[in-house]
Amino acid sequence: MKIVVLVKHVPEPTATWKFAPDLTVDRAGVEGRLSELDEYAVEQAARLAESGAASEVVFLTVGPAKAAEGLRKALAIGGDKAVHVLDDAIHGSCALGTSLVLAKALEKVGYDLVLTGMASTDAELSVVPQMVADRLGANQATFAGELTVDGGQVSIRRDTDAASERVAVTLPAVVSVTDQTGEARYPAFKAIMAAKKKPIETMSLADLGVAADQVGLGAASVRTVDVSPTPPRTAGTIVTDEGEGGKQLADFLAGRGFI
Amino acid sequence: MSEVLVVAETTSSGVRKPTLELLTAARALGEPAAIVFGAADDAVVAALGEYGATKVYAVDAPEVGEFLSLPKAEAVVQIAQQASPVAVLLTSGPEGKDIAARVAVRLGAGVVPDATKVELAGDTVTTTQSVFAGRFQAKSEVTRGPAVVTMRPNATSAEPAAASPSVEAVSVSVSDAAKGAKITSREPKVSTGRPELTDAAVVVAGGRGVGSQEGFAVIERAADALGGAVGASRTVTDQHWAPHELQVGQTGKTVAPSLYVAAGISGAIQHRAGMQSSKTIVVVNKDPKAPIFQIADYGVVGDLHAVLPALVDEVARRKG
């Protein structure tokens, strides 16, 4: 079984984020990292390789030159090689455009199982995996809290508000995993050094047979017209409990009509 | 006026509140038409009509309960191709996202997940999203319609506006391609009798400061005193002091109740992303430097194990 894990290099969540004049995220001017939620998918792939269920693990990313740092981090956790789709024309693509590029790249790379995180920690859309599955004609199971593979069948647990469900999915399939699947290992120094020797292949839109005008900001189906900082909340009243804290809190809640 | 398709969510007790919020939002865009899966009985149709649905599409396909999301997505695509709606609205959540993504690809339409507002400017659907852990508000225009939008529960309030919906039965033939993810078992969640976390007007949430599974009972008692739902930080659910479905934050639920009480929660950015739109925020924490105090309307620096039981006693005393 060949696994391809889709990964994204995102701005560090605690960094100060800025927007470029075209209202896309300024990725050049901010420290980045492998999206934390993708690490769970990388970890699942590494475990499946260790158990012998996966014969090959490839990491695939779409992004600017710096996105290769995300691939190096994934390769330090596990996997055999990586593919980086790098093309200036992709800048500003909407979810439809991004999913087209990923689907074309997956067709070229080949796959049995595509693993992804539940969302990127920058755009947080949670729709690209399903779009990729639709374009590939592959089966799909999203938001898996647990994942096992048995032959050509993937079994997942998916929790909803109403129930905990078990779902059986036949390969080839796209599966997104949540943070419930288990923390990614912390790569040892030796693994980080070994990752530097693993190959990263770079592909352009032309390599994938995607025309530049099918993707990018110009082709986007959703256009951002304004981005403003959320107004800060006005400072509240802070009291220190000296035995009366519960009563003081009750007074505040009663004043707001909650009691 | 064009139709606005609203993918309704119903339970054994009727139409879910987030669906009523969608109907309210849909009225600003066109004529709300609800899509109901399974039995569209009189009570469900009446509830949808009360919030402005002028039409109800009743989809009768037994397969929708047997497979993950895709049969529903096919049905929505089929209805959208005939109704040519200005927008398709869904509730944010695993199934809502699954359906929205598939519908958008099939219709070549723009998708906006997790919108907090949806409006019509001329013929263009515009949306507002709270992005990057709630730090920015992004306004967008959908340039290729119909706009496929998932809306966060509690972002808008549900306001009734009576209409008498016509009911149209829709038969859907589910393709084999939509049957690739079969639900093999379903273990229903045990009901606690408390309000649903995403629907509740009051949420009392506990974090690391509760200290243990037994300690979490303090949170439950405070929630019950205030008639609220129970929430938890990721630390608490990772430690199994409370079940995962109670997790509030980036990888859990996003809530925006009238009152959010955060007890023993330090306020990591991932947690704040899930609750900072709450109207009133109350914080109880031993550490005066906890970042969550920065967004508190009222804060008590103190031990939650002393402050919350005292609050529960006060509530009981005042209610007599």
Side-chain angles (χ1 to χ4, degrees):
Chain A
M1 179 180 66
K2 180 173 182 177
I3 298 179
V4 181
V5 187
L6 308 186
V7 297
K8 189 174 183 187
H9 189 252
V10 299
E12 185 70 53
T14 51
T16 302
W17 296 22
K18 293 194 191 81
F19 293 86
D22 65 4
L23 298 181
T24 60
V25 178
D26 178 1
R27 294 178 189 277
V30 63
E31 196 190 336
R33 60 164 293 165
L34 173 63
S35 176
E36 189 210 337
L37 295 175
D38 291 347
E39 289 187 5
Y40 297 94
V42 172
E43 174 65 26
Q44 286 300 306
R47 290 183 194 180
L48 288 167
E50 283 162 355
S51 75
S55 52
E56 187 182 8
V57 173
V58 182
F59 302 115
L60 169 62
T61 200
V62 175
K66 261 174 84 175
E69 292 168 19
L71 292 174
R72 287 290 172 208
K73 174 70 190 289
L75 287 166
I77 296 171
D80 304 295
K81 62 174 194 172
V83 174
H84 183 178
V85 184
L86 175 64
D87 198 309
D88 289 344
I90 299 170
H91 172 81
S93 293
C94 66
L96 286 177
T98 305
S99 67
L100 176 68
V101 174
L102 286 168
K104 291 290 183 190
L106 283 162
E107 280 168 359
K108 198 173 171 76
V109 172
Y111 61 92
D112 297 298
L113 174 63
V114 178
L115 288 178
T116 79
M118 63 183 281
S120 60
T121 58
D122 52 358
E124 288 191 272
L125 301 180
S126 290
V127 294
V128 169
Q130 302 91 324
M131 289 179 162
V132 169
D134 195 86
R135 292 185 185 282
L136 294 172
N139 289 324
Q140 154 196 329
T142 49
F143 305 99
E146 205 180 301
L147 167 78
T148 53
V149 178
D150 187 11
Q153 192 94 347
V154 177
S155 173
I156 69 151
R157 188 193 83 233
R158 170 155 145 150
D159 293 316
T160 70
D161 285 348
S164 181
E165 295 168 340
R166 295 269 165 189
V167 181
V169 197
T170 308
L171 296 176
V174 177
V175 175
S176 77
V177 301
T178 75
D179 57 340
Q180 294 291 296
T181 51
E183 291 286 336
R185 68 200 67 186
Y186 194 78
F189 180 71
K190 209 173 138 193
I192 294 169
M193 294 314 287
K196 292 185 177 167
K197 296 200 177 84
K198 294 179 184 176
I200 296 181
E201 185 183 353
T202 303
M203 295 182 185
S204 67
L205 286 179
D207 293 332
L208 302 179
V210 176
D213 62 2
Q214 286 179 280
V215 297
L217 203 52
S221 56
V222 178
R223 189 171 57 219
T224 304
V225 292
D226 182 59
V227 181
S228 315
T230 304
R233 294 182 77 102
T234 47
T237 309
I238 311 292
V239 300
T240 300
D241 177 36
E242 282 158 359
E244 294 289 296
K247 186 174 172 303
Q248 286 168 294
L249 179 51
D251 287 341
F252 170 80
L253 293 175
R256 296 261 175 136
F258 291 115
I259 298 176
Chain B
M1 264 206 298
S2 298
E3 277 185 21
V4 182
L5 294 179
V6 169
V7 179
E9 292 182 8
T10 58
T11 65
S12 53
S13 50
V15 180
R16 287 194 63 207
K17 186 170 149 241
T19 297
L20 305 179
E21 293 165 6
L22 293 182
L23 288 168
T24 306
R27 300 203 299 262
L29 310 179
E31 294 201 351
I35 300 175
V36 175
F37 296 97
D41 57 35
D42 292 350
V44 166
V45 173
L48 295 167
E50 195 185 337
Y51 285 83
T54 56
K55 194 188 248 185
V56 173
Y57 292 100
V59 180
D60 183 26
E63 292 96 336
V64 298
E66 291 176 40
F67 302 94
L68 272 192
S69 308
L70 270 56
K72 287 187 180 177
E74 281 191 349
V76 175
V77 168
Q78 185 182 317
I79 293 167
Q81 280 167 342
Q82 288 179 4
S84 302
V86 62
V88 181
L89 304 187
L90 307 99
T91 299
S92 289
E95 187 178 79
K97 296 272 182 88
D98 280 359
I99 298 173
R102 290 269 174 168
V103 169
V105 177
R106 294 290 171 94
L107 301 179
V111 62
V112 181
D114 296 320
T116 54
K117 203 193 267 184
V118 57
E119 295 162 293
L120 199 60
D123 295 333
T124 306
V125 174
T126 67
T127 58
T128 305
Q129 289 160 290
S130 179
V131 296
F132 308 145
R135 280 182 287 178
F136 293 91
Q137 303 297 310
K139 284 204 168 107
S140 303
E141 290 177 359
V142 179
T143 54
R144 286 211 302 278
V148 182
V149 181
T150 81
M151 293 200 68
R152 283 202 169 149
N154 285 313
T156 54
S157 54
E159 311 279 352
S164 313
S166 58
V167 179
E168 187 177 323
V170 181
S171 64
V172 177
S173 53
V174 176
S175 74
D176 285 344
K179 295 180 183 173
K182 187 170 175 52
I183 298 168
T184 53
S185 74
R186 182 179 275 132
E187 196 180 316
K189 296 270 156 74
V190 182
S191 171
T192 58
R194 297 191 183 96
E196 260 195 75
L197 183 53
T198 43
D199 296 359
V202 175
V203 174
V204 181
R208 188 185 295 274
V210 303
S212 65
Q213 191 172 358
E214 296 72 37
F216 195 74
V218 173
I219 303 297
E220 295 171 333
R221 282 194 285 273
D224 291 342
L226 295 170
V230 172
S233 72
R234 185 168 161 190
T235 306
V236 166
T237 56
D238 278 358
Q239 298 285 336
H240 304 288
W241 296 344
H244 175 246
E245 65 262 25
L246 298 186
Q247 187 192 323
V248 173
Q250 192 175 41
T251 59
K253 302 274 163 53
T254 300
V255 300
S258 302
L259 172 64
Y260 189 89
V261 180
I265 294 174
S266 64
I269 189 166
Q270 289 85 353
H271 184 78
R272 296 208 303 266
M275 49 63 74
Q276 63 196 349
S277 309
S278 304
K279 279 148 210 95
T280 298
I281 295 174
V282 165
V283 170
V284 180
N285 202 305
K286 273 199 292 202
D287 177 9
K289 293 196 186 73
I292 191 107
F293 277 114
Q294 293 161 15
I295 59 168
D297 295 292
Y298 194 83
V300 180
V301 180
D303 185 353
L304 71 95
H305 294 284
V307 175
L308 290 187
L311 170 68
V312 170
D313 290 345
E314 270 300 306
V315 173
R317 192 178 65 75
R318 289 175 195 219
K319 281 183 177 166

